[in-house]
């Protein structure tokens, strides 16, 4: 069975998909004939093996299980005592998009399907999400996390329990797990990290955690493993697909590509030590998720975007300042489209206000640059509205 990119996309991007994975931790109200376990109350246990539970979720993990079968790991998830950090189907779609994007950058056809990638690559990467025995949230509550020995031929990952913020209260939200590909390095700056969407589901033969949909399958390894020409860095959308305009862009989701390609930061580390391991300074945000802070003059962040239609757009930016405020501008493909915009002092680094501006844009794919003319503010997200 071969699965085309068109078929894959059709199976992975329906509107219900994004909410479907939230149904993983749902109580069994009864074992129905279709073996679907979805109801209204949270549960910690289901009486089927990990493979069959994922299969019962009707379309949410079809691509993942297709690759599990292709890699010969079906019995591993059915019979062995395994903890599985499960990537969602959208994560695989994103990784395949990145692979074809990279092929196009190097002059090759961007038409690879799941079957174009050698089975050995899928096997190696899938094993990085699996480890023997129980690895639950209670075993990962250490400041530096825990080194995890995966099934991927002596390859180590890192797991860490992290409380989230809620309603402005630090550590007042639900517990999530940070799952990190250490990239064979002991230095956190070299790691690639994802977080979970649901945790600690006990199946008949193991334990299951589900990674968030923003995770890219294979972390940073699929493209160079499947397509070695791509070892030189290129700029590409962080979430795999251009951010739509109209729409909201989270500042921490700047493009992949690294210093000088996707961003410029004046110092060499992530001062907030959250979310990503590059030099962009990211911290937990009281409004939820993350914000970029420690801004400084001449720093910038870039985002690949897709503008739906020509015309004027209002831009609402969520910003905060406890240090006098500062200036910025928005550039599209190197052209200043906003002029200088000022953020006032808001009375605190987490006291968020909306700063408004307008821009005129043309339809199509563009590179948006947020350019910090001066520092002195935190930035959370920006939303574009068609006027």
């Amino acid at each position: 069975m071969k699965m085309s990119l068109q078929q894959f996309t059709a199976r992975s991007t329906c509107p219900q998909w994004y909410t479907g994975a939230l149904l993983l931790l749902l109580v069994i109200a009864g074992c129905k004939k279709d073996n679907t376990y979805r109801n209204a109350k949270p549960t910690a246990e289901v009486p089927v093996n990990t493979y069959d539970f994922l299969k019962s979720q009707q379309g949410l993990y079809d691509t993942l299980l297709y690759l599990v079968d292709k890699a010969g790991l079906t019995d591993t998830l059915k019979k062995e005592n395994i903890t599985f950090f499960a990537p969602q189907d959208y994560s695989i779609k994103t990784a395949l998009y990145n692979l074809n994007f990279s092929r196009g950058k190097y002059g090759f056809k961007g038409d690879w399907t799941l079957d174009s990638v050698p089975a050995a690559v899928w096997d190696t990467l899938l094993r990085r999400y699996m480890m023997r025995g129980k690895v639950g949230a209670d075993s990962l509550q250490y400041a530096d996390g825990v080194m995890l020995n995966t099934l991927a031929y002596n390859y180590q990952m890192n797991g860490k329990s992290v409380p989230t913020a809620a309603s402005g209260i630090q550590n007042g939200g639900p517990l999530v797990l940070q799952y990190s590909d250490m990239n064979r390095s002991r230095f956190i700056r070299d790691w690639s990290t994802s977080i979970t969407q649901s945790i600690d589901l006990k199946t008949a033969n193991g334990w299951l955690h589900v990674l968030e949909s923003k995770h890219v399958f294979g972390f940073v390894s699929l493209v160079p493993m499947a397509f070695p020409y791509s070892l030189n860095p290129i700029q590409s959308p962080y979430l795999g697909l251009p951010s739509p305009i109209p729409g909201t862009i989270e500042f921490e989701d700047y493009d992949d590509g690294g210093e000088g390609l996707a961003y410029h930061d004046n110092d060499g580390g992530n001062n907030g030590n959250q979310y990503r391991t590059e030099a962009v300074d990211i911290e937990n945000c009281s409004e939820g998720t993350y914000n970029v802070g420690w801004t400084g003059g001449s720093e910038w962040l870039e985002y690949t975007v897709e503008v739906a239609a020509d015309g004027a757009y209002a831009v609402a930016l969520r910003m905060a300042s406890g240090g006098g405020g500062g200036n910025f501008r928005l550039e599209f493909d190197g052209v200043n489209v906003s002029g200088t915009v000022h953020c006032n002092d808001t009375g605190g680094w987490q006291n968020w206000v909306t700063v408004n501006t307008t821009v005129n844009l043309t339809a199509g794919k563009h590179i948006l640059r947020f350019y910090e003319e001066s520092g002195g503010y935190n930035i959370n997200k920006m939303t574009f509205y068609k006027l």
Side-chain angles (χ1 to χ4, degrees), residues 175-333:
L175 194 70
V176 299
L177 304 184
Q178 287 184 353
Y179 191 59
S180 300
D181 186 341
M182 299 170 62
N183 294 311
R184 301 189 187 279
S185 172
R186 63 187 180 88
F187 298 108
I188 294 177
R189 66 173 180 268
D190 298 325
W191 297 4
S192 300
T193 297
S194 185
I195 64 174
T196 53
Q197 184 167 297
S198 59
I199 64 172
D200 283 350
L201 178 70
K202 188 180 186 307
T203 66
N205 67 311
W207 294 83
L208 181 66
H209 313 292
V210 176
L211 296 175
E212 63 177 351
S213 59
K214 292 200 299 184
H215 169 66
V216 180
F217 178 83
F219 293 87
V220 296
S221 295
L222 174 64
V223 174
M225 288 179 66
F227 183 59
Y229 286 96
S230 65
L231 292 176
N232 293 325
I234 58 173
Q235 184 173 351
S236 60
Y238 175 62
L239 300 180
L241 299 172
S243 297
I245 292 178
T248 297
I249 300 172
E250 296 281 347
F251 273 102
E252 67 270 18
D253 291 335
Y254 59 89
D255 281 359
D256 282 326
E259 168 65 40
L261 283 178
Y263 69 87
H264 170 62
D265 196 277
N266 292 331
D267 58 42
N270 179 349
N271 289 312
N273 197 31
Q274 296 295 321
Y275 192 57
R276 299 175 71 170
T277 56
E278 297 177 300
V280 177
D281 305 311
I282 301 173
E283 64 181 347
N284 289 316
C285 179
S286 63
E287 292 194 313
T289 65
Y290 306 94
N291 66 262
V292 174
W294 292 271
T295 52
S298 79
E299 294 184 341
W300 48 266
L301 299 162
E302 288 192 341
Y303 307 82
T304 302
V305 300
E306 185 84 32
V307 179
D310 294 354
Y313 289 81
V315 190
L317 301 99
R318 294 295 288 170
M319 306 182 70
S321 175
N327 298 328
F328 65 92
R329 65 176 182 260
L330 302 179
E331 299 178 358
F332 274 71
D333 301 328

Side-chain angles (χ1 to χ4, degrees), residues 26 43 52-53 67 76 83 118 138 141 150 181 187 189 255 261 263 275 283 297 312 320 332 352 359 362 369 371:
L26 298 181
T43 186
D52 287 343
F53 176 75
L67 295 180
T76 300
T83 295
D138 57 350
Q141 295 178 353
T150 70
D181 186 341
F187 298 108
R189 66 173 180 268
D255 281 359
L261 283 178
Y263 69 87
Y275 192 57
E283 64 181 347
F332 274 71
W352 298 95
V359 295
T362 57
R369 174 179 288 190
Y371 188 89

